[in-house]
């Protein structure tokens, strides 16, 4: 009886440690303040002054650095 209880507690503690390890490894990296002197822009950051694309709007005729749509 006591050995069964010890095994169950050990399994429970092991699962908690595994959960803590998964959560710590999947956490977002810390944000680092970067200087704007590098001139790099991250691709996932919204570009200022550019409206959100509208799926129902006609195709934009202005030149962009984006790839053209495949047809």
């Amino acid at each position: 009886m006591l050995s069964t209880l010890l095994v169950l507690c050990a399994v429970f503690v092991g699962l908690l440690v595994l959960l803590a390890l998964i959560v710590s490894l999947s956490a977002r990296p810390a944000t680092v303040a970067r200087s704007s002197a590098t001139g790099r822009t991250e691709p996932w950051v919204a570009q200022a002054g550019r409206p959100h694309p509208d799926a129902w709007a006609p195709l934009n005729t202005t030149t962009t650095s984006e790839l053209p749509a495949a047809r």
Side-chain angles (χ1 to χ4, degrees), residues 30-69:
T31 57
V32 178
R34 297 184 184 195
S35 65
S36 60
T38 60
R40 287 181 50 201
T41 58
E42 302 297 342
W44 60 84
V45 177
Q47 297 175 356
R50 242 180 118 185
H52 189 274
D54 183 10
W56 301 108
L59 291 175
N60 193 358
T61 58
T62 61
T63 59
T64 65
S65 61
E66 298 172 357
L67 294 173

PDB file of all heavy atoms in Angstrom, residues 30-69:
ATOM      1  N   ALA A  30      12.606  36.578 -24.489  1.00  0.00           N
ATOM      2  CA  ALA A  30      12.529  37.922 -23.930  1.00  0.00           C
ATOM      3  C   ALA A  30      12.731  38.949 -25.032  1.00  0.00           C
ATOM      4  O   ALA A  30      13.550  38.770 -25.936  1.00  0.00           O
ATOM      5  CB  ALA A  30      13.588  38.098 -22.851  1.00  0.00           C
ATOM      6  N   THR A  31      11.969  40.020 -24.964  1.00  0.00           N
ATOM      7  CA  THR A  31      12.112  41.070 -25.959  1.00  0.00           C
ATOM      8  C   THR A  31      13.363  41.863 -25.659  1.00  0.00           C
ATOM      9  O   THR A  31      13.650  42.205 -24.519  1.00  0.00           O
ATOM     10  CB  THR A  31      10.894  42.003 -25.961  1.00  0.00           C
ATOM     11  OG1 THR A  31      10.738  42.531 -24.650  1.00  0.00           O
ATOM     12  CG2 THR A  31       9.635  41.248 -26.363  1.00  0.00           C
ATOM     13  N   VAL A  32      14.113  42.136 -26.709  1.00  0.00           N
ATOM     14  CA  VAL A  32      15.361  42.871 -26.577  1.00  0.00           C
ATOM     15  C   VAL A  32      15.184  44.195 -27.306  1.00  0.00           C
ATOM     16  O   VAL A  32      14.753  44.229 -28.458  1.00  0.00           O
ATOM     17  CB  VAL A  32      16.531  42.073 -27.190  1.00  0.00           C
ATOM     18  CG1 VAL A  32      17.818  42.863 -27.107  1.00  0.00           C
ATOM     19  CG2 VAL A  32      16.662  40.734 -26.520  1.00  0.00           C
ATOM     20  N   ALA A  33      15.520  45.276 -26.645  1.00  0.00           N
ATOM     21  CA  ALA A  33      15.426  46.589 -27.284  1.00  0.00           C
ATOM     22  C   ALA A  33      16.548  46.708 -28.305  1.00  0.00           C
ATOM     23  O   ALA A  33      17.720  46.616 -27.973  1.00  0.00           O
ATOM     24  CB  ALA A  33      15.534  47.686 -26.237  1.00  0.00           C
ATOM     25  N   ARG A  34      16.162  46.878 -29.554  1.00  0.00           N
ATOM     26  CA  ARG A  34      17.144  47.006 -30.623  1.00  0.00           C
ATOM     27  C   ARG A  34      17.178  48.452 -31.087  1.00  0.00           C
ATOM     28  O   ARG A  34      16.171  49.127 -31.142  1.00  0.00           O
ATOM     29  CB  ARG A  34      16.783  46.110 -31.798  1.00  0.00           C
ATOM     30  CG  ARG A  34      16.803  44.657 -31.431  1.00  0.00           C
ATOM     31  CD  ARG A  34      16.537  43.820 -32.636  1.00  0.00           C
ATOM     32  NE  ARG A  34      16.462  42.419 -32.238  1.00  0.00           N
ATOM     33  CZ  ARG A  34      16.527  41.425 -33.083  1.00  0.00           C
ATOM     34  NH1 ARG A  34      16.659  41.656 -34.352  1.00  0.00           N
ATOM     35  NH2 ARG A  34      16.450  40.197 -32.653  1.00  0.00           N
ATOM     36  N   SER A  35      18.344  48.874 -31.442  1.00  0.00           N
ATOM     37  CA  SER A  35      18.459  50.239 -31.948  1.00  0.00           C
ATOM     38  C   SER A  35      17.968  50.283 -33.386  1.00  0.00           C
ATOM     39  O   SER A  35      18.078  49.312 -34.125  1.00  0.00           O
ATOM     40  CB  SER A  35      19.910  50.719 -31.870  1.00  0.00           C
ATOM     41  OG  SER A  35      20.709  49.948 -32.738  1.00  0.00           O
ATOM     42  N   SER A  36      17.430  51.422 -33.779  1.00  0.00           N
ATOM     43  CA  SER A  36      16.918  51.553 -35.144  1.00  0.00           C
ATOM     44  C   SER A  36      18.034  51.871 -36.122  1.00  0.00           C
ATOM     45  O   SER A  36      17.786  52.034 -37.312  1.00  0.00           O
ATOM     46  CB  SER A  36      15.846  52.638 -35.189  1.00  0.00           C
ATOM     47  OG  SER A  36      16.409  53.870 -34.774  1.00  0.00           O
ATOM     48  N   ALA A  37      19.269  51.951 -35.650  1.00  0.00           N
ATOM     49  CA  ALA A  37      20.391  52.273 -36.532  1.00  0.00           C
ATOM     50  C   ALA A  37      20.737  51.113 -37.458  1.00  0.00           C
ATOM     51  O   ALA A  37      21.372  51.299 -38.484  1.00  0.00           O
ATOM     52  CB  ALA A  37      21.620  52.653 -35.696  1.00  0.00           C
ATOM     53  N   THR A  38      20.312  49.901 -37.112  1.00  0.00           N
ATOM     54  CA  THR A  38      20.641  48.753 -37.959  1.00  0.00           C
ATOM     55  C   THR A  38      19.839  48.765 -39.244  1.00  0.00           C
ATOM     56  O   THR A  38      20.266  48.180 -40.233  1.00  0.00           O
ATOM     57  CB  THR A  38      20.386  47.442 -37.196  1.00  0.00           C
ATOM     58  OG1 THR A  38      19.010  47.396 -36.838  1.00  0.00           O
ATOM     59  CG2 THR A  38      21.267  47.338 -35.970  1.00  0.00           C
ATOM     60  N   GLY A  39      18.679  49.395 -39.246  1.00  0.00           N
ATOM     61  CA  GLY A  39      17.873  49.485 -40.457  1.00  0.00           C
ATOM     62  C   GLY A  39      17.085  48.223 -40.744  1.00  0.00           C
ATOM     63  O   GLY A  39      16.438  48.118 -41.770  1.00  0.00           O
ATOM     64  N   ARG A  40      17.151  47.242 -39.862  1.00  0.00           N
ATOM     65  CA  ARG A  40      16.411  46.007 -40.079  1.00  0.00           C
ATOM     66  C   ARG A  40      14.969  46.191 -39.644  1.00  0.00           C
ATOM     67  O   ARG A  40      14.700  46.788 -38.622  1.00  0.00           O
ATOM     68  CB  ARG A  40      17.026  44.869 -39.280  1.00  0.00           C
ATOM     69  CG  ARG A  40      18.327  44.395 -39.838  1.00  0.00           C
ATOM     70  CD  ARG A  40      18.871  43.255 -39.019  1.00  0.00           C
ATOM     71  NE  ARG A  40      17.865  42.233 -38.816  1.00  0.00           N
ATOM     72  CZ  ARG A  40      17.912  41.335 -37.845  1.00  0.00           C
ATOM     73  NH1 ARG A  40      18.881  41.351 -36.989  1.00  0.00           N
ATOM     74  NH2 ARG A  40      16.968  40.425 -37.726  1.00  0.00           N
ATOM     75  N   THR A  41      14.067  45.669 -40.443  1.00  0.00           N
ATOM     76  CA  THR A  41      12.669  45.634 -40.044  1.00  0.00           C
ATOM     77  C   THR A  41      12.256  44.178 -39.980  1.00  0.00           C
ATOM     78  O   THR A  41      12.557  43.399 -40.880  1.00  0.00           O
ATOM     79  CB  THR A  41      11.775  46.392 -41.033  1.00  0.00           C
ATOM     80  OG1 THR A  41      11.939  45.809 -42.330  1.00  0.00           O
ATOM     81  CG2 THR A  41      12.134  47.860 -41.075  1.00  0.00           C
ATOM     82  N   GLU A  42      11.589  43.828 -38.933  1.00  0.00           N
ATOM     83  CA  GLU A  42      11.140  42.451 -38.786  1.00  0.00           C
ATOM     84  C   GLU A  42       9.933  42.233 -39.699  1.00  0.00           C
ATOM     85  O   GLU A  42       9.055  43.085 -39.787  1.00  0.00           O
ATOM     86  CB  GLU A  42      10.777  42.181 -37.329  1.00  0.00           C
ATOM     87  CG  GLU A  42      11.927  42.424 -36.364  1.00  0.00           C
ATOM     88  CD  GLU A  42      13.105  41.504 -36.596  1.00  0.00           C
ATOM     89  OE1 GLU A  42      12.948  40.462 -37.254  1.00  0.00           O
ATOM     90  OE2 GLU A  42      14.192  41.820 -36.119  1.00  0.00           O
ATOM     91  N   PRO A  43       9.858  41.093 -40.379  1.00  0.00           N
ATOM     92  CA  PRO A  43       8.769  40.872 -41.333  1.00  0.00           C
ATOM     93  C   PRO A  43       7.406  40.733 -40.678  1.00  0.00           C
ATOM     94  O   PRO A  43       6.402  40.923 -41.323  1.00  0.00           O
ATOM     95  CB  PRO A  43       9.168  39.578 -42.031  1.00  0.00           C
ATOM     96  CG  PRO A  43      10.120  38.906 -41.112  1.00  0.00           C
ATOM     97  CD  PRO A  43      10.801  39.987 -40.348  1.00  0.00           C
ATOM     98  N   TRP A  44       7.338  40.385 -39.396  1.00  0.00           N
ATOM     99  CA  TRP A  44       6.034  40.189 -38.770  1.00  0.00           C
ATOM    100  C   TRP A  44       5.492  41.462 -38.132  1.00  0.00           C
ATOM    101  O   TRP A  44       4.405  41.450 -37.604  1.00  0.00           O
ATOM    102  CB  TRP A  44       6.114  39.077 -37.726  1.00  0.00           C
ATOM    103  CG  TRP A  44       7.083  39.358 -36.636  1.00  0.00           C
ATOM    104  CD1 TRP A  44       6.867  40.093 -35.509  1.00  0.00           C
ATOM    105  CD2 TRP A  44       8.438  38.939 -36.556  1.00  0.00           C
ATOM    106  NE1 TRP A  44       7.987  40.147 -34.745  1.00  0.00           N
ATOM    107  CE2 TRP A  44       8.973  39.450 -35.361  1.00  0.00           C
ATOM    108  CE3 TRP A  44       9.257  38.182 -37.375  1.00  0.00           C
ATOM    109  CZ2 TRP A  44      10.284  39.220 -34.982  1.00  0.00           C
ATOM    110  CZ3 TRP A  44      10.563  37.952 -36.991  1.00  0.00           C
ATOM    111  CH2 TRP A  44      11.052  38.468 -35.812  1.00  0.00           C
ATOM    112  N   VAL A  45       6.257  42.533 -38.191  1.00  0.00           N
ATOM    113  CA  VAL A  45       5.815  43.799 -37.610  1.00  0.00           C
ATOM    114  C   VAL A  45       5.049  44.572 -38.676  1.00  0.00           C
ATOM    115  O   VAL A  45       5.464  44.643 -39.827  1.00  0.00           O
ATOM    116  CB  VAL A  45       7.024  44.617 -37.116  1.00  0.00           C
ATOM    117  CG1 VAL A  45       6.580  45.958 -36.585  1.00  0.00           C
ATOM    118  CG2 VAL A  45       7.787  43.848 -36.061  1.00  0.00           C
ATOM    119  N   ALA A  46       3.915  45.126 -38.297  1.00  0.00           N
ATOM    120  CA  ALA A  46       3.115  45.894 -39.248  1.00  0.00           C
ATOM    121  C   ALA A  46       3.886  47.123 -39.711  1.00  0.00           C
ATOM    122  O   ALA A  46       4.565  47.780 -38.928  1.00  0.00           O
ATOM    123  CB  ALA A  46       1.809  46.316 -38.600  1.00  0.00           C
ATOM    124  N   GLN A  47       3.805  47.401 -40.990  1.00  0.00           N
ATOM    125  CA  GLN A  47       4.492  48.561 -41.537  1.00  0.00           C
ATOM    126  C   GLN A  47       3.605  49.788 -41.344  1.00  0.00           C
ATOM    127  O   GLN A  47       2.430  49.769 -41.674  1.00  0.00           O
ATOM    128  CB  GLN A  47       4.801  48.346 -43.015  1.00  0.00           C
ATOM    129  CG  GLN A  47       5.753  47.184 -43.238  1.00  0.00           C
ATOM    130  CD  GLN A  47       5.951  46.898 -44.715  1.00  0.00           C
ATOM    131  OE1 GLN A  47       5.328  47.511 -45.563  1.00  0.00           O
ATOM    132  NE2 GLN A  47       6.820  45.960 -45.011  1.00  0.00           N
ATOM    133  N   ALA A  48       4.215  50.830 -40.828  1.00  0.00           N
ATOM    134  CA  ALA A  48       3.467  52.054 -40.550  1.00  0.00           C
ATOM    135  C   ALA A  48       3.031  52.701 -41.855  1.00  0.00           C
ATOM    136  O   ALA A  48       3.772  52.733 -42.831  1.00  0.00           O
ATOM    137  CB  ALA A  48       4.337  53.010 -39.752  1.00  0.00           C
ATOM    138  N   GLY A  49       1.824  53.207 -41.881  1.00  0.00           N
ATOM    139  CA  GLY A  49       1.321  53.909 -43.051  1.00  0.00           C
ATOM    140  C   GLY A  49       0.708  53.012 -44.095  1.00  0.00           C
ATOM    141  O   GLY A  49       0.193  53.479 -45.101  1.00  0.00           O
ATOM    142  N   ARG A  50       0.786  51.719 -43.925  1.00  0.00           N
ATOM    143  CA  ARG A  50       0.212  50.787 -44.893  1.00  0.00           C
ATOM    144  C   ARG A  50      -1.058  50.191 -44.328  1.00  0.00           C
ATOM    145  O   ARG A  50      -1.038  49.593 -43.257  1.00  0.00           O
ATOM    146  CB  ARG A  50       1.183  49.662 -45.169  1.00  0.00           C
ATOM    147  CG  ARG A  50       1.609  49.609 -46.608  1.00  0.00           C
ATOM    148  CD  ARG A  50       2.543  48.497 -46.821  1.00  0.00           C
ATOM    149  NE  ARG A  50       1.923  47.593 -47.755  1.00  0.00           N
ATOM    150  CZ  ARG A  50       2.424  46.445 -48.105  1.00  0.00           C
ATOM    151  NH1 ARG A  50       3.529  46.032 -47.571  1.00  0.00           N
ATOM    152  NH2 ARG A  50       1.845  45.705 -48.971  1.00  0.00           N
ATOM    153  N   PRO A  51      -2.191  50.325 -44.998  1.00  0.00           N
ATOM    154  CA  PRO A  51      -3.427  49.780 -44.458  1.00  0.00           C
ATOM    155  C   PRO A  51      -3.424  48.248 -44.513  1.00  0.00           C
ATOM    156  O   PRO A  51      -2.688  47.644 -45.289  1.00  0.00           O
ATOM    157  CB  PRO A  51      -4.502  50.359 -45.380  1.00  0.00           C
ATOM    158  CG  PRO A  51      -3.791  50.597 -46.664  1.00  0.00           C
ATOM    159  CD  PRO A  51      -2.378  50.968 -46.291  1.00  0.00           C
ATOM    160  N   HIS A  52      -4.258  47.673 -43.703  1.00  0.00           N
ATOM    161  CA  HIS A  52      -4.415  46.227 -43.710  1.00  0.00           C
ATOM    162  C   HIS A  52      -5.012  45.808 -45.047  1.00  0.00           C
ATOM    163  O   HIS A  52      -5.947  46.444 -45.550  1.00  0.00           O
ATOM    164  CB  HIS A  52      -5.343  45.823 -42.561  1.00  0.00           C
ATOM    165  CG  HIS A  52      -5.391  44.356 -42.351  1.00  0.00           C
ATOM    166  ND1 HIS A  52      -6.235  43.540 -43.039  1.00  0.00           N
ATOM    167  CD2 HIS A  52      -4.680  43.553 -41.533  1.00  0.00           C
ATOM    168  CE1 HIS A  52      -6.056  42.298 -42.665  1.00  0.00           C
ATOM    169  NE2 HIS A  52      -5.114  42.282 -41.737  1.00  0.00           N
ATOM    170  N   PRO A  53      -4.497  44.749 -45.680  1.00  0.00           N
ATOM    171  CA  PRO A  53      -5.036  44.349 -46.984  1.00  0.00           C
ATOM    172  C   PRO A  53      -6.477  43.871 -46.868  1.00  0.00           C
ATOM    173  O   PRO A  53      -6.853  43.195 -45.919  1.00  0.00           O
ATOM    174  CB  PRO A  53      -4.113  43.214 -47.421  1.00  0.00           C
ATOM    175  CG  PRO A  53      -3.457  42.744 -46.188  1.00  0.00           C
ATOM    176  CD  PRO A  53      -3.396  43.894 -45.248  1.00  0.00           C
ATOM    177  N   ASP A  54      -7.263  44.263 -47.840  1.00  0.00           N
ATOM    178  CA  ASP A  54      -8.668  43.873 -47.872  1.00  0.00           C
ATOM    179  C   ASP A  54      -8.834  42.794 -48.935  1.00  0.00           C
ATOM    180  O   ASP A  54      -8.463  42.981 -50.096  1.00  0.00           O
ATOM    181  CB  ASP A  54      -9.529  45.094 -48.204  1.00  0.00           C
ATOM    182  CG  ASP A  54     -11.006  44.779 -48.172  1.00  0.00           C
ATOM    183  OD1 ASP A  54     -11.376  43.678 -47.709  1.00  0.00           O
ATOM    184  OD2 ASP A  54     -11.799  45.629 -48.602  1.00  0.00           O
ATOM    185  N   ALA A  55      -9.381  41.657 -48.555  1.00  0.00           N
ATOM    186  CA  ALA A  55      -9.508  40.537 -49.488  1.00  0.00           C
ATOM    187  C   ALA A  55     -10.475  40.843 -50.624  1.00  0.00           C
ATOM    188  O   ALA A  55     -10.350  40.287 -51.715  1.00  0.00           O
ATOM    189  CB  ALA A  55      -9.963  39.292 -48.737  1.00  0.00           C
ATOM    190  N   TRP A  56     -11.428  41.738 -50.396  1.00  0.00           N
ATOM    191  CA  TRP A  56     -12.439  42.008 -51.410  1.00  0.00           C
ATOM    192  C   TRP A  56     -12.119  43.231 -52.263  1.00  0.00           C
ATOM    193  O   TRP A  56     -12.810  43.505 -53.240  1.00  0.00           O
ATOM    194  CB  TRP A  56     -13.808  42.182 -50.758  1.00  0.00           C
ATOM    195  CG  TRP A  56     -14.206  40.964 -49.996  1.00  0.00           C
ATOM    196  CD1 TRP A  56     -14.250  40.831 -48.650  1.00  0.00           C
ATOM    197  CD2 TRP A  56     -14.576  39.696 -50.535  1.00  0.00           C
ATOM    198  NE1 TRP A  56     -14.631  39.561 -48.310  1.00  0.00           N
ATOM    199  CE2 TRP A  56     -14.844  38.836 -49.449  1.00  0.00           C
ATOM    200  CE3 TRP A  56     -14.698  39.205 -51.831  1.00  0.00           C
ATOM    201  CZ2 TRP A  56     -15.231  37.514 -49.635  1.00  0.00           C
ATOM    202  CZ3 TRP A  56     -15.090  37.880 -51.996  1.00  0.00           C
ATOM    203  CH2 TRP A  56     -15.347  37.064 -50.919  1.00  0.00           C
ATOM    204  N   ALA A  57     -11.060  43.950 -51.920  1.00  0.00           N
ATOM    205  CA  ALA A  57     -10.691  45.133 -52.693  1.00  0.00           C
ATOM    206  C   ALA A  57     -10.012  44.709 -53.997  1.00  0.00           C
ATOM    207  O   ALA A  57      -9.414  43.636 -54.080  1.00  0.00           O
ATOM    208  CB  ALA A  57      -9.750  46.012 -51.871  1.00  0.00           C
ATOM    209  N   PRO A  58     -10.114  45.530 -55.041  1.00  0.00           N
ATOM    210  CA  PRO A  58      -9.409  45.193 -56.273  1.00  0.00           C
ATOM    211  C   PRO A  58      -7.900  45.184 -56.027  1.00  0.00           C
ATOM    212  O   PRO A  58      -7.395  45.771 -55.080  1.00  0.00           O
ATOM    213  CB  PRO A  58      -9.812  46.308 -57.236  1.00  0.00           C
ATOM    214  CG  PRO A  58     -10.421  47.363 -56.411  1.00  0.00           C
ATOM    215  CD  PRO A  58     -10.873  46.748 -55.128  1.00  0.00           C
ATOM    216  N   LEU A  59      -7.191  44.499 -56.910  1.00  0.00           N
ATOM    217  CA  LEU A  59      -5.749  44.389 -56.734  1.00  0.00           C
ATOM    218  C   LEU A  59      -5.093  45.760 -56.752  1.00  0.00           C
ATOM    219  O   LEU A  59      -5.473  46.646 -57.515  1.00  0.00           O
ATOM    220  CB  LEU A  59      -5.149  43.518 -57.840  1.00  0.00           C
ATOM    221  CG  LEU A  59      -5.515  42.038 -57.770  1.00  0.00           C
ATOM    222  CD1 LEU A  59      -4.948  41.310 -58.988  1.00  0.00           C
ATOM    223  CD2 LEU A  59      -4.988  41.424 -56.503  1.00  0.00           C
ATOM    224  N   ASN A  60      -4.114  45.911 -55.898  1.00  0.00           N
ATOM    225  CA  ASN A  60      -3.385  47.173 -55.790  1.00  0.00           C
ATOM    226  C   ASN A  60      -2.456  47.321 -56.995  1.00  0.00           C
ATOM    227  O   ASN A  60      -1.736  46.395 -57.352  1.00  0.00           O
ATOM    228  CB  ASN A  60      -2.593  47.175 -54.479  1.00  0.00           C
ATOM    229  CG  ASN A  60      -2.067  48.543 -54.135  1.00  0.00           C
ATOM    230  OD1 ASN A  60      -2.263  49.485 -54.886  1.00  0.00           O
ATOM    231  ND2 ASN A  60      -1.401  48.642 -53.018  1.00  0.00           N
ATOM    232  N   THR A  61      -2.459  48.477 -57.620  1.00  0.00           N
ATOM    233  CA  THR A  61      -1.613  48.694 -58.795  1.00  0.00           C
ATOM    234  C   THR A  61      -0.305  49.382 -58.451  1.00  0.00           C
ATOM    235  O   THR A  61       0.535  49.558 -59.323  1.00  0.00           O
ATOM    236  CB  THR A  61      -2.364  49.544 -59.836  1.00  0.00           C
ATOM    237  OG1 THR A  61      -2.728  50.779 -59.224  1.00  0.00           O
ATOM    238  CG2 THR A  61      -3.599  48.814 -60.334  1.00  0.00           C
ATOM    239  N   THR A  62      -0.106  49.761 -57.196  1.00  0.00           N
ATOM    240  CA  THR A  62       1.151  50.393 -56.821  1.00  0.00           C
ATOM    241  C   THR A  62       2.226  49.326 -56.676  1.00  0.00           C
ATOM    242  O   THR A  62       1.945  48.168 -56.424  1.00  0.00           O
ATOM    243  CB  THR A  62       1.013  51.172 -55.495  1.00  0.00           C
ATOM    244  OG1 THR A  62       0.644  50.235 -54.476  1.00  0.00           O
ATOM    245  CG2 THR A  62      -0.037  52.259 -55.596  1.00  0.00           C
ATOM    246  N   THR A  63       3.464  49.734 -56.816  1.00  0.00           N
ATOM    247  CA  THR A  63       4.555  48.771 -56.725  1.00  0.00           C
ATOM    248  C   THR A  63       4.865  48.482 -55.260  1.00  0.00           C
ATOM    249  O   THR A  63       4.904  49.369 -54.431  1.00  0.00           O
ATOM    250  CB  THR A  63       5.815  49.330 -57.413  1.00  0.00           C
ATOM    251  OG1 THR A  63       6.173  50.535 -56.778  1.00  0.00           O
ATOM    252  CG2 THR A  63       5.585  49.542 -58.880  1.00  0.00           C
ATOM    253  N   THR A  64       5.056  47.219 -54.971  1.00  0.00           N
ATOM    254  CA  THR A  64       5.423  46.780 -53.631  1.00  0.00           C
ATOM    255  C   THR A  64       6.569  45.792 -53.734  1.00  0.00           C
ATOM    256  O   THR A  64       6.929  45.340 -54.818  1.00  0.00           O
ATOM    257  CB  THR A  64       4.242  46.105 -52.897  1.00  0.00           C
ATOM    258  OG1 THR A  64       3.920  44.904 -53.604  1.00  0.00           O
ATOM    259  CG2 THR A  64       3.036  46.994 -52.806  1.00  0.00           C
ATOM    260  N   SER A  65       7.141  45.456 -52.607  1.00  0.00           N
ATOM    261  CA  SER A  65       8.211  44.478 -52.587  1.00  0.00           C
ATOM    262  C   SER A  65       7.656  43.065 -52.389  1.00  0.00           C
ATOM    263  O   SER A  65       8.412  42.121 -52.214  1.00  0.00           O
ATOM    264  CB  SER A  65       9.205  44.808 -51.469  1.00  0.00           C
ATOM    265  OG  SER A  65       8.530  44.765 -50.238  1.00  0.00           O
ATOM    266  N   GLU A  66       6.327  42.933 -52.414  1.00  0.00           N
ATOM    267  CA  GLU A  66       5.710  41.631 -52.210  1.00  0.00           C
ATOM    268  C   GLU A  66       5.699  40.820 -53.502  1.00  0.00           C
ATOM    269  O   GLU A  66       5.722  41.391 -54.596  1.00  0.00           O
ATOM    270  CB  GLU A  66       4.295  41.797 -51.692  1.00  0.00           C
ATOM    271  CG  GLU A  66       4.240  42.498 -50.349  1.00  0.00           C
ATOM    272  CD  GLU A  66       2.814  42.822 -49.940  1.00  0.00           C
ATOM    273  OE1 GLU A  66       1.890  42.548 -50.747  1.00  0.00           O
ATOM    274  OE2 GLU A  66       2.653  43.365 -48.841  1.00  0.00           O
ATOM    275  N   LEU A  67       5.658  39.526 -53.344  1.00  0.00           N
ATOM    276  CA  LEU A  67       5.591  38.663 -54.517  1.00  0.00           C
ATOM    277  C   LEU A  67       4.202  38.762 -55.144  1.00  0.00           C
ATOM    278  O   LEU A  67       3.204  38.880 -54.433  1.00  0.00           O
ATOM    279  CB  LEU A  67       5.858  37.211 -54.115  1.00  0.00           C
ATOM    280  CG  LEU A  67       7.269  36.918 -53.608  1.00  0.00           C
ATOM    281  CD1 LEU A  67       7.320  35.500 -53.083  1.00  0.00           C
ATOM    282  CD2 LEU A  67       8.277  37.094 -54.696  1.00  0.00           C
ATOM    283  N   PRO A  68       4.108  38.695 -56.461  1.00  0.00           N
ATOM    284  CA  PRO A  68       2.788  38.743 -57.094  1.00  0.00           C
ATOM    285  C   PRO A  68       2.017  37.468 -56.803  1.00  0.00           C
ATOM    286  O   PRO A  68       2.588  36.401 -56.559  1.00  0.00           O
ATOM    287  CB  PRO A  68       3.092  38.885 -58.584  1.00  0.00           C
ATOM    288  CG  PRO A  68       4.465  38.330 -58.735  1.00  0.00           C
ATOM    289  CD  PRO A  68       5.177  38.609 -57.463  1.00  0.00           C
ATOM    290  N   ALA A  69       0.692  37.574 -56.860  1.00  0.00           N
ATOM    291  CA  ALA A  69      -0.144  36.412 -56.604  1.00  0.00           C
ATOM    292  C   ALA A  69      -0.030  35.417 -57.740  1.00  0.00           C
ATOM    293  O   ALA A  69       0.011  35.791 -58.915  1.00  0.00           O
ATOM    294  CB  ALA A  69      -1.592  36.868 -56.452  1.00  0.00           C
TER     295      ALA A  69
END
